[in-house]
């Protein structure tokens, strides 16, 4: 088990180092940062002053290793636009993004697991085909279009839910529904496939021979084994949701980390952009490690 943890930790560190390098390089490839910060009407003297003030006149490698050294200690620099520490900005916005991600994942699990179980029980029926069609449509549907559609129907026409803001739990209902649609197809297909495989196993036939009820066989025996890949993909999907919340937060005006990234890109606030990419990548890597550990606990064969 320790060897398994060590291997996963090495992979996680390599991924984090790669993301840090790409985040730094891509911001530099976007153009001269000093010109972007100074603005289009700045003079050559203004641009040079900005370059010196923000340390952009130093060699690129020096800038990179200085940023990495500070990032490792938790110092992500200062925002050019907000004039405050980047770590403070992200800490203030992160609760909104985490709430949105957890809401989306919870709704996705509540929708996909029952659908997957029912589709497996009624394999190759019209219901099974309908579930697969719904999963396909959900995967292909653009999130911003679905968000606007829900806003028009439930926000403007019916007036049931607020269309923007973060004042109460009601503000996260529509964004959570939209975000969950990105995970429902994968979770539904995994649950269905796992249940079909489990139901054809010998231990299920033994349970039937013992006279156990259908509900007990499905929920206590079959679902326990079918849930192993679902647990893995759920943790990974949460990472995708946190990273993909940028569009949802923009549509519903939720001032989370995704909205902060959008603002920073529009304002050429590169320290914030770099930090957001790094933080979301680290969270995704951590969730992937949690997924691997849960799989190893649930299925000891994976430890080898």
């Amino acid at each position: 088990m320790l060897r398994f943890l060590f291997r996963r930790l090495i992979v996680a560190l390599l991924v984090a180092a790669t993301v840090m390098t790409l985040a730094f390089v891509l911001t530099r490839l976007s153009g001269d940062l000093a010109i972007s910060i100074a603005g289009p009407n700045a003079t050559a003297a203004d641009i040079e002053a900005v370059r010196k003030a923000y340390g952009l006149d130093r060699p690129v490698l020096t800038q990179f290793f200085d940023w990495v050294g500070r990032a490792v200690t938790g110092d992500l620099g200062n925002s050019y636009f907000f004039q405050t520490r980047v770590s403070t900005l992200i800490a203030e916005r992160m609760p909104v993004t985490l709430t949105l991600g957890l809401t989306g994942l919870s709704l996705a699990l509540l929708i996909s697991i029952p659908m997957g179980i029912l589709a497996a029980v009624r394999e190759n029926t019209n219901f099974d085909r309908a579930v697969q069609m719904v999963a396909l449509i959900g995967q292909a549907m653009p999130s911003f279009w679905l968000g606007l559609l829900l806003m028009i129907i439930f926000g403007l026409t019916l007036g049931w839910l607020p269309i923007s803001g973060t004042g109460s739990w009601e503000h996260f209902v529509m964004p959570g529904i939209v975000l969950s649609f990105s995970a429902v197809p994968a979770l539904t297909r995994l649950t269905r496939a796992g249940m079909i495989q489990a139901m054809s196993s010998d231990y299920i036939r033994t349970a039937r021979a013992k006279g156990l009820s259908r509900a007990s066989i499905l929920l206590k025996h079959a679902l326990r084994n079918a849930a192993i890949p679902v647990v893995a993909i759920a943790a990974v999907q949460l990472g995708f949701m946190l990273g993909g919340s940028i569009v949802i937060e923009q549509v519903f005006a939720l001032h989370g980390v995704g909205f902060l990234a959008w603002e920073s890109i529009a304002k050429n606030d590169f320290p914030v952009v770099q930090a957001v990419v790094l933080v979301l990548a680290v969270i995704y890597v951590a969730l992937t490690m949690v997924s691997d550990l849960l799989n190893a606990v649930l299925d000891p064969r994976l430890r080898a």
Side-chain angles (χ1 to χ4, degrees):
M1 190 65 175
L2 290 177
R3 182 179 296 179
F4 177 85
L5 291 173
F6 181 74
R7 288 201 305 266
R8 290 296 182 269
L9 181 60
I10 293 297
V11 172
L13 291 176
L14 290 175
V15 172
T18 303
V19 169
M20 294 181 73
T21 304
L22 288 176
F24 182 87
V25 171
L26 290 177
T27 55
R28 267 55 184 179
L29 291 178
S30 62
D32 192 331
L33 300 186
I35 296 176
S36 300
I37 297 169
N41 298 322
T43 64
D46 294 335
I47 295 173
E48 190 61 29
V50 168
R51 186 175 283 113
K52 290 182 179 180
Y54 291 103
L56 299 174
D57 57 336
R58 298 177 298 168
V60 175
L61 284 178
T62 302
Q63 296 179 46
F64 173 70
F65 286 113
D66 178 61
W67 178 67
V68 170
R70 288 186 289 108
V72 169
T73 62
D75 181 8
L76 300 174
N78 295 314
S79 167
Y80 298 158
F81 177 75
F82 296 98
Q83 295 298 312
T84 187
R85 294 176 63 84
V86 176
S87 57
T88 302
L89 282 173
I90 294 177
E92 291 174 351
R93 305 288 189 97
M94 186 59 73
V96 175
T97 300
L98 288 177
T99 302
L100 177 59
L102 292 173
T103 301
L105 181 63
S106 300
L107 290 173
L109 292 172
L110 288 174
I111 295 170
S112 58
I113 292 178
M115 285 178 59
I117 293 173
L118 293 174
V121 171
R122 303 180 182 181
E123 185 182 4
N124 296 326
T125 63
N126 290 333
F127 181 83
D128 182 24
R129 286 187 283 271
V131 168
Q132 295 186 60
M133 180 60 66
V134 170
L136 180 62
I137 294 173
Q139 191 167 21
M141 187 179 299
S143 58
F144 68 89
W145 181 84
L146 178 60
L148 294 174
L149 184 64
L150 293 181
M151 290 170 68
I152 292 171
I153 296 175
F154 296 104
L156 299 178
T157 303
L158 299 176
W160 290 355
L161 295 168
I163 61 175
S164 64
T166 58
S168 66
W169 64 269
E170 296 174 335
H171 290 84
F172 290 94
V173 174
M174 286 195 292
I177 292 173
V178 175
L179 198 59
S180 69
F181 263 69
S182 63
V184 165
L187 293 173
T188 301
R189 284 194 292 265
L190 273 176
T191 304
R192 176 184 176 274
M195 288 295 293
I196 291 174
Q197 183 179 8
M199 293 297 290
S200 62
S201 301
D202 293 335
Y203 68 90
I204 295 296
R205 286 192 286 270
T206 302
R208 286 173 179 158
K210 290 180 178 179
L212 297 180
S213 65
R214 186 177 180 85
S216 177
I217 292 173
L218 287 174
L219 301 179
K220 187 177 180 180
H221 297 279
L223 184 59
R224 179 181 297 178
N225 289 280
I228 293 177
V230 176
V231 169
I233 199 66
V236 175
Q237 285 292 337
L238 179 58
F240 280 133
M241 288 179 176
L242 296 178
S245 65
I246 295 177
V247 176
I248 307 301
E249 291 181 9
Q250 179 68 17
V251 171
F252 289 95
L254 301 175
H255 288 250
V257 175
F259 195 90
L260 175 63
W262 184 282
E263 287 180 302
S264 302
I265 293 171
K267 303 294 185 182
N268 294 324
D269 200 347
F270 297 105
V272 179
V273 176
Q274 289 177 176
V276 168
V277 172
L278 176 61
V279 169
L280 291 179
V282 169
I283 292 175
Y284 179 79
V285 170
L287 289 171
T288 304
M289 285 190 62
V290 171
S291 169
D292 291 338
L293 292 177
L294 287 175
N295 273 340
V297 171
L298 293 173
D299 189 353
R301 294 173 299 177
L302 297 178
R303 300 172 194 172

